[in-house]
Amino acid sequence: MASRAARCLLRVTGRASGVTSGQLDYSLGQHGDRAFSTSIRLRSRKDPDAKKTYSFSTLKVDKPAKGVIQVELNRPDRLNALNNDSWCEIREFFDTISADPECRVVILSALGKHFTAGIDLQDMGFMMDLLGSDLDTSRKGLKLEQKVRDYQDSFTAIEKCPKPVIAAIHGGCIGGGVDMTSACDIRYCTEDAFFAIKEVDIGMAADVGTLQRFPKIVGNDSLVRELAFTARKFYAAEAKSIGFVSRLFDSRETMLKAAMDVASLIAAKSPVAVQGTKVHLNYSRDHTVQEGLEHMAIWQMTMLQSDDIMKAAMASADRRGKTVPEFADV
Ligand SMILES: CC/C=C\C=C\CC(=O)SCCNC(=O)CCNC(=O)[C@H](O)C(C)(C)COP(=O)(O)OP(=O)(O)OC[C@H]1O[C@@H](n2cnc3c(N)ncnc32)[C@H](O)[C@@H]1OP(=O)(O)O
């Protein structure tokens, strides 16, 4: 029960400019019965009914089938090199899609000759300005830390998005491209695709996810170290043999068709079941078996009560296979 002081403060309402929907949060320190500090924060909240427009300068977004959204890296004249806008928009796209009930699966592909040439080496003015500035080392360091965290968050948004993300890779997938696709759930590529953990060639350690996620995908520590220390290219056949991609295709078109077929198959399943599966695969990757089982047990207290279970059971009981279950969006 909040104290009188807190209840009083909670009655304070106001309209912050540009915030159409808000939620009052309060944090209250208690010492015995007495509040000793109270603060109120107005947290903006996306209107869940707002029409999703998905308009970006570096990404092209389409809805090719029910429940499926395709997002394409769209700077083909720059080999889809990731400039500052790209990093921001990737994060914004995946955060938005996470809350879009009509989206059940995402296909991530790219336009032009290559999937991506990695970070845009011609858009690193921020770094140059910062390094040349009069700021002292600690302040430069803190700004760099924030930048790295922001860029990390762009790809972590892919992993945190509860909808499965299928990466369809063609041509070069370099540096930041390996970080990005390592955060995806399923990876396909064309037979002419190639990859490189290129960061050491520009004098840095890979810092936005490759060293954390890629080793858990391929499960070959010796090879991971070789690829990350040498920056050598590895081609589609090797990427498949080490398990980084699961399927190869003779062209971008056949790959996108296959990605679409798999996406539509997933989109027709219970979104409660599919999204729960992604959440638990990710959780279990980073925890012990016992912790994963505990997490699952708590989750299922609610999810085993889903309407989807009854619908799926009735469909499976129909031996003629004529009952096709329709699962509500979440
Ligand atoms: C906080 C930090 C967060 C993230 C850090 C990420 C690190 C990385 O991403 S490291 C990787 C950086 N990228 C590279 O080193 C890629 C270098 N490029 C290549 O290896 C090749 O260009 C290629 C991608 C394999 C494509 O080869 P090809 O098809 O033969 O084209 P090119 O003739 O080489 O290039 C055409 C044109 O594009 C320019 N370009 C290539 N890569 C980039 C890039 N990453 N950023 C900006 N521009 C790039 C290249 O210079 C050419 O330009 P012209 O003006 O036409 O000469």
Side-chain angles (χ1 to χ4, degrees), residues 79 87 113-114 117-121 151 175-176 198-199 202 207:
L79 310 184
W87 295 94
K113 184 178 174 190
H114 298 290
I119 196 165
D120 190 335
L121 299 169
Y151 282 12
K198 189 80 173 147
E199 280 82 348
I202 62 165
D207 56 355

Side-chain angles (χ1 to χ4, degrees), residues 316-328:
S316 332
D318 175 4
R319 301 209 165 209
R320 290 166 305 157
K322 289 208 168 145
T323 309
V324 180
E326 284 265 343
F327 300 106

Side-chain angles (χ1 to χ4, degrees), residues 20 44 51 80 83 92 103 177 179 253 283 287 293 311:
T20 52
S44 82
K51 191 164 170 16
N80 296 315
N83 66 1
E92 194 186 331
C103 170
D179 296 275
E253 287 64 40
Y283 186 90
H287 292 80
L293 291 170
K311 284 186 184 171

